[in-house]
Structure formats: C-alpha cells, structure tokens
C-alpha cells in the first residue's frame, strides 16, 4: 500500500525532545516548593553545565539573549563603543549589542559560515585607524560548529578586545578538542525550544571570571545589594532562570549525549545522501567531528546543479517537511540600515544558496526515510 506523504504529520526542523525524565524532574522541583528563580535545581544545573563545558562559573538566565546582554552590561559596553560581530547569525546576537547602545560592526564569514579571522583583523585595523573604542568582539558558533577561536582570540587580544562567544547553538561542539562555551572571556548558551537541549526558554553565561559571573548573577536579579532591605546601587534586570526550568534542563543534560548522537546520525545520512551530488556541500566543512550537528545546513552551487536550494525546500514542503533558509546576514536586514562592516560577499552567497534541513533528535527512522525519499525525488530526477 502506498501512503500519501502529504497526509502524514509535518516533520519539523528541530522540535523539543522532552519526555518522562523531564516530567519527573520538573514535578520533583514543583513538589519541593522551589518555584522561584532560585533553588537547588538552578544551582545544580549551573554546576552541571559548567562541568560539562569545563568552565568554573555558570549563571542560569531566562534566555541566551539575556546572557549576551548582561555580559555587555557588566563590561560597561555602551554608546561610543563599536562591537565587531558575525554578520551571519540570528538577530539576537546583534540585538544585545544594540540594547546597550553600542554600534555593531559586521564581520563576514569564511566558507565554514563562521567569522573570518582575516576580516576580523581588517575590521580591527580600520576601527583602530579611525580611533574607535572596541572593547569586545562577538563571534558566533553557527549552526553548532565552533568558530576558529585559535585564530580569533589572539587577534582580539592583540587589539585589546575581549571575546564574547555566542555558543547559543553549539552546546556539545568542540574546537581543537575544547568544548564550545569555554572560549573567550565569556560565552553564552541558549536553551530555547529549538536548541540541542531545552528548558523551554532559557540561557546561560559561562566564564572563567568569577567577578563577571557574580556581577551577572546580581544584575539578573534586579541588582539587589546583599543587605536585608531592598538597596540598589545600579540598574538591574529580571533575567534569572526559574528553578523549575532548571530542573527540566538537568533532565535534558542527562540525555544530552543520546540526543547529540541522534543528530549526528542524521548528519551522516545526509552526507551519504548527497555524496554523489558535487553541487551540494554541508556548510561548515567536510569533517563533522567537532560539530554538534544541531541542524544540517547545505549549500547548493547553482553553476553545477540543475536544481536550486529553493527547489529542494519546495519539494520537502510538499512532502510536509519543514526546512528553513540559512540566517539572512544581519548587514542585509532593514534594521541594520546605516551600520557598517568588513564584508566580502561570502555570507550573502551562502544565504542565496543555502537551506537548513531537519535534524531533530525526536525524528524517527521512518520520518527520516520520508525526508530521504523527498530529497531523492529532486536529486535523482
Ligand atoms: C546564534 C544565536 N544567538 C543567540 C540566540 C538567542 O538565544 P535565546 O533564544 O535563548 O534568547 C540564538 C537562538 O535563539 C541563536 O541562535
């Protein structure tokens, strides 16, 4: 019997993977009475993520965006400062820079999709020549592949700039054997619903700097001073992660390696599927070892291929499978009008040719076979 694929449930790009263990942990947290943005699960979640990533300090926050924002606030970044940032990223990275009134300066990517070290160097040289203050650089670990920190960190250090690593998509990835989230002066993770693991919404700041962690924790709880009455010497935020959501995160952390393994399996199958398609490459490079395989973004060379990335997206949509274009570079966004950068067209080219394929850890084998059939319908036509 043949089944009409369009009548089958839609396959989503990266839906949350939560089940009985998460229910158990969340219920236990609720029964404990710790339903505030404080409690033993929050403390334990911070310690467990810190240990997993190999950094001494972690602060659980309401989102990855909040973590980016508070790192910048704590470092005093503000009006008059320029912050070089990957242009090829989700808006949140750049929004945080704008919240503090600093000026984002877009740095294009290399062929991996991550910040080009060469262009960062050029950006810093031209900003220095203009006499601009550049307190921090924000590279992004795009789609779960860590940026080339071995090059980026020394370049930033030579210019006297800190590195804030946006590892929102990259928990579980590594660069030269060290975990994403451990690089730079601070890093952020996101536990949004579509990420490799989720607390439904949440984020974390990771750092080797105890003073930064303490300050960010204080800022996230309305900057209350440690005295019995409510005393405030600086402006605070309500950005702390709730204990209940942290409990969910702890359950996800227990299952993280299994979820990573499942996504890696999809990556291997995509590689096999496109092996005879010279026009198709998987963004990031040929080696998946350090990649967390959060999503699988492909790039289709129109000079070699009879079909375009958009054709594949349309075919998958007809098969009721969700895909998404890769991030539209931030320097092309209307909200960025008037902002400048060190740009060489690479992210624009990837944007025109790219497509992100589903890779959720909840996908079943039969769902993945549906995706494979729909892809073959285009590539083998
Ligand atoms: C690269 C990047 N940075 C920052 C964020 C923001 O994280 P959140 O949604 O937890 O605020 C996300 C994801 O949403 C992201 O993909």
């Amino acid at each position: 019997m043949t089944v009409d694929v369009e009548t089958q449930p839609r396959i989503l790009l990266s839906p949350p993977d939560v089940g009985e263990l998460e229910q158990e942990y969340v219920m236990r947290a609720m029964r404990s009475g710790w339903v505030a943005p404080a409690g033993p699960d929050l403390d334990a979640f911070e310690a467990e993520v810190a240990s997993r990533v190999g950094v001494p300090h972690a602060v659980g926050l309401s989102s990855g965006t909040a973590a980016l924002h508070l790192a910048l606030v704590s470092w005093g970044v503000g009006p008059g400062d320029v912050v070089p940032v990957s242009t090829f990223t989700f808006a949140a990275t750049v929004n945080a820079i704008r919240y503090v009134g600093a000026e984002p300066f877009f740095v294009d990517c290399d062929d991996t999709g991550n910040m080009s070290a060469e262009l960062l160097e050029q950006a810093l040289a031209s900003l220095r020549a203009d006499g601009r203050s550049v307190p921090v650089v924000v590279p992004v670990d795009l789609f779960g592949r860590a940026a080339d920190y071995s090059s980026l960190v020394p370049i930033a250090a030579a210019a006297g700039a800190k590195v804030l690593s946006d590892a929102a998509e990259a928990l579980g990835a590594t660069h030269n054997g060290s975990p994403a989230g451990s690089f730079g002066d601070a890093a952020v993770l996101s536990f949004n619903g579509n990420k490799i693991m989720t607390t439904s919404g949440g984020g974390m700041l990771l750092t080797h700097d105890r003073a930064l962690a303490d300050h960010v924790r204080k800022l996230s709880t309305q900057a209350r001073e440690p005295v019995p009455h409510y005393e405030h010497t600086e402006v605070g935020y309500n950005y702390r992660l709730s204990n209940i959501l942290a409990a969910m995160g702890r359950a996800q952390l227990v299952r993280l390696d299994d979820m990573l393994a499942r996504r890696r399996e999809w990556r291997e199958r995509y590689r096999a599927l496109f092996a005879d398609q010279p026009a198709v490459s998987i963004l990031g490079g040929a080696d998946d070892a350090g990649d967390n395989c959060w999503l699988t973004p492909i790039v289709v060379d129109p000079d070699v291929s009879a079909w375009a990335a958009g054709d594949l997206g349309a075919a998958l949509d007809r098969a009721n499978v969700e895909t998404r274009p890769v991030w539209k570079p931030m320097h092309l966004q209307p909200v960025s009008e008037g902002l400048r950068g060190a740009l060489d067209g690479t992210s624009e080219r990837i944007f025109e040719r790219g497509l992100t394929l589903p890779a959720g850890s909840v996908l079943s084998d039969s769902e993945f076979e549906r995706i494979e059939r729909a892809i073959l319908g285009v590539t083998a036509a």
Side-chain angles (χ1 to χ4, degrees):
M1 190 187 80
T2 54
V3 181
D4 177 5
V5 286
E6 291 184 39
T7 64
Q8 298 186 33
R10 189 157 177 83
I11 295 175
L12 300 175
L13 206 59
S14 180
D17 181 353
V18 294
E20 283 177 17
L21 194 67
E22 287 75 11
Q23 288 176 23
E24 196 186 298
Y25 274 58
V26 167
M27 285 311 294
R28 197 177 60 200
M30 288 183 74
R31 287 194 193 102
S32 78
W34 287 99
V35 293
D41 283 294
L42 181 53
D43 297 343
F45 185 44
E46 289 177 343
E48 287 160 6
V49 175
S51 141
R52 165 95 198 194
V53 177
V55 294
H57 308 291
V59 186
L61 297 164
S62 54
S63 68
T65 312
L68 289 163
H69 186 193
L70 289 192
L72 297 173
V73 171
S74 183
W75 285 332
V77 179
D81 292 328
V82 185
V83 178
V85 57
S86 302
T87 188
F88 201 20
T89 185
F90 179 57
T93 320
V94 179
N95 286 345
I97 297 166
R98 299 193 70 176
Y99 295 165
V100 297
E103 180 188 328
F105 190 88
F106 299 115
V107 182
D108 221 318
C109 59
D110 57 26
D111 286 337
T112 67
N114 282 328
M115 184 182 276
S116 155
E118 203 183 316
L119 291 176
L120 175 64
E121 211 157 17
Q122 282 176 24
L124 289 168
S126 84
L127 290 167
R128 189 171 43 241
D130 289 349
R132 301 302 305 268
S133 146
V134 183
V136 56
V137 170
V138 187
V140 177
D141 299 338
L142 199 77
F143 297 123
R145 178 170 293 253
D148 178 13
Y149 292 102
S150 329
S151 304
L152 298 174
V153 170
I155 291 170
K162 290 183 163 43
V163 170
L164 174 57
S165 159
D166 184 345
E169 303 172 359
L171 180 61
T174 56
H175 169 66
N176 288 347
S178 297
S182 67
F183 297 99
D185 296 272
V188 315
L189 299 176
S190 167
F191 306 122
N192 200 350
N194 64 358
K195 293 296 185 294
I196 206 113
M197 64 167 253
T198 184
T199 56
S200 81
M204 201 167 272
L205 177 106
L206 300 168
T207 181
H208 296 268
D209 178 350
R210 171 185 285 279
L212 174 68
D214 288 348
H215 192 209
V216 164
R217 193 174 279 110
K218 178 186 166 194
L219 288 171
S220 74
T221 46
Q222 305 289 19
R224 187 178 171 189
E225 296 297 326
V227 292
H229 64 278
Y230 282 85
E231 179 81 8
H232 304 273
T233 58
E234 58 186 330
V235 174
Y237 301 80
N238 183 6
Y239 277 176
R240 196 79 164 114
L241 185 66
S242 101
N243 189 66
I244 292 177
L245 298 187
M248 180 169 167
R250 294 185 71 196
Q252 289 267 282
L253 209 49
V254 170
R255 298 181 47 235
L256 180 62
D257 285 324
D258 288 343
M259 296 194 290
L260 286 164
R262 194 69 170 155
R263 291 192 192 247
R264 182 167 299 281
E265 199 182 322
W266 305 143
R267 171 66 60 87
E268 283 162 10
R269 284 174 69 166
Y270 281 127
R271 281 214 184 270
L273 201 58
F274 292 119
D276 64 349
Q277 299 286 316
V280 180
S281 54
I282 291 180
L283 182 63
D287 179 7
D288 293 322
D291 202 305
N292 73 356
C293 304
W294 171 49
L295 299 174
T296 290
I298 60 164
V299 181
V300 184
D301 183 347
D303 297 334
V304 187
S305 176
W307 51 273
D311 300 328
L312 185 63
L316 283 160
D317 188 51
R318 285 194 296 277
N320 218 5
V321 175
E322 182 187 27
T323 62
R324 203 169 55 191
V326 295
W327 303 127
K328 179 175 177 178
M330 286 305 297
H331 69 273
L332 295 180
Q333 301 285 357
V335 71
S336 304
E337 206 186 323
L339 296 173
R340 299 171 307 135
L343 304 162
D344 68 0
T346 307
S347 58
E348 292 186 26
R349 197 176 62 246
I350 298 173
F351 173 58
E352 280 158 18
R353 301 173 175 192
L355 187 72
T356 312
L357 301 172
S361 46
V362 281
L363 276 184
S364 67
D365 288 320
S366 65
E367 282 176 323
F368 200 80
E369 282 155 21
R370 239 175 86 198
I371 298 173
E372 285 174 325
R373 278 196 301 277
I375 291 175
L376 284 170
V378 174
T379 60

